[in-house]
């Protein structure tokens, strides 16, 4: 969405297999419009595909920068998921990420990466804290066991599960805001 003030707002409701391609199209529209102000709204986004989170983060971070660490504890070395270093964004772009208690998993990965690499300002409320990597292990034909095999760590090594991710700028939404249709988090991002 392009606002009248020239700010682009991209709302991501989930991280699907085609989120990276759709995000690229939105970025092309931003560039064609000559805008250099972007708000990415990840509020209420429960996550999804890791590849989509890496793809989207890769627009804002140079190639090789760590987006997220997959920590397997003492059993193995952490697996580093790194930026692909996509190019084409305006050089002087300002980016704000909106998050809340409903932002989880892949949303927290993107927010953590962009916040810690100082590529965006994160505004809103502390995120959900879904930082575990699970695997489905078949037990019988009808049953499976979901086992946590690793946890997500931010580039600086903070566990996403440990209470979620704190925003750079805390902005709460009150019941009055909801009733009146006011969005103080978006207003602060603007």
């Amino acid at each position: 969405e392009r606002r009248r003030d020239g700010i682009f707002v991209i709302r991501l409701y989930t991280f699907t297999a085609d989120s990276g391609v759709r995000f690229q199209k939105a970025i092309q529209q931003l560039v064609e419009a000559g805008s250099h102000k972007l708000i990415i709204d990840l509020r209420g986004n429960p996550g999804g595909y890791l590849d989509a989170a890496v793809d989207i983060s890769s627009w804002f971070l140079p190639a090789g920068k760590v987006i997220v660490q997959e920590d397997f504890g003492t059993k193995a070395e952490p697996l580093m998921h790194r930026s692909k270093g996509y190019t084409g964004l305006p050089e002087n772009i300002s980016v704000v990420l909106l998050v809340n208690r409903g932002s989880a998993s892949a949303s927290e990965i993107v927010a953590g990466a962009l916040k810690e690499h100082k590529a965006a300002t994160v505004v809103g409320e502390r995120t959900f804290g879904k930082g575990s990597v699970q695997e489905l292990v078949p037990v019988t034909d009808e049953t499976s066991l979901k086992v946590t095999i690793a946890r997500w760590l931010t580039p600086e090594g903070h566990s996403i599960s440990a209470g979620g991710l704190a925003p750079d700028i805390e902005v709460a939404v009150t019941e009055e805001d909801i009733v009146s249709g006011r969005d103080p988090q978006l207003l602060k991002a603007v």
Side-chain angles (χ1 to χ4, degrees), residues 158-181:
H158 299 114
S159 172
I160 288 170
S161 289
L165 189 84
D168 294 306
I169 302 168
E170 181 95 32
V171 181
V173 175
T174 65
E175 273 187 54
E176 284 173 30
D177 292 325
I178 294 163
V179 170
S180 68

Side-chain angles (χ1 to χ4, degrees), residues 30-162:
L30 174 138
V31 171
E32 285 163 15
S35 179
H36 59 273
K37 294 175 181 174
L38 174 62
I39 295 170
I40 302 170
D41 191 345
L42 298 176
R43 293 177 296 177
N45 183 325
Y49 286 86
L50 171 67
D51 288 351
V54 169
D55 252 4
I56 288 163
S57 300
S58 291
W59 281 99
F60 305 97
L61 302 175
K65 289 279 185 192
V66 173
I67 290 170
V68 68
Q69 302 180 47
E70 203 168 344
D71 175 32
F72 301 95
T74 55
K75 294 177 181 70
E77 284 295 303
L79 179 60
M80 303 294 181
H81 297 273
R82 297 178 184 276
S83 171
K84 298 168 186 174
Y86 297 153
T87 57
L89 280 179
E91 276 197 28
N92 57 343
I93 192 162
S94 298
V95 184
V96 176
L97 272 180
L98 285 173
V99 297
N100 65 7
R101 288 294 302 164
S103 306
S105 192
S107 292
E108 295 173 291
I109 287 170
V110 172
L114 270 57
K115 178 186 178 187
E116 290 186 357
H117 288 298
K118 311 253 183 296
T121 302
V122 180
V123 171
E125 296 158 298
R126 186 174 279 278
T127 61
F128 183 80
K130 167 70 174 75
S132 55
V133 185
Q134 279 135 356
E135 201 172 75
L136 222 51
V137 181
V139 178
T140 69
D141 287 345
E142 293 89 30
T143 61
S144 296
L145 182 66
K146 194 180 259 192
V147 181
T148 298
I149 58 162
R151 59 194 180 129
W152 298 121
L153 305 181
T154 66
E156 292 176 4
H158 299 114
S159 172
I160 288 170
S161 289

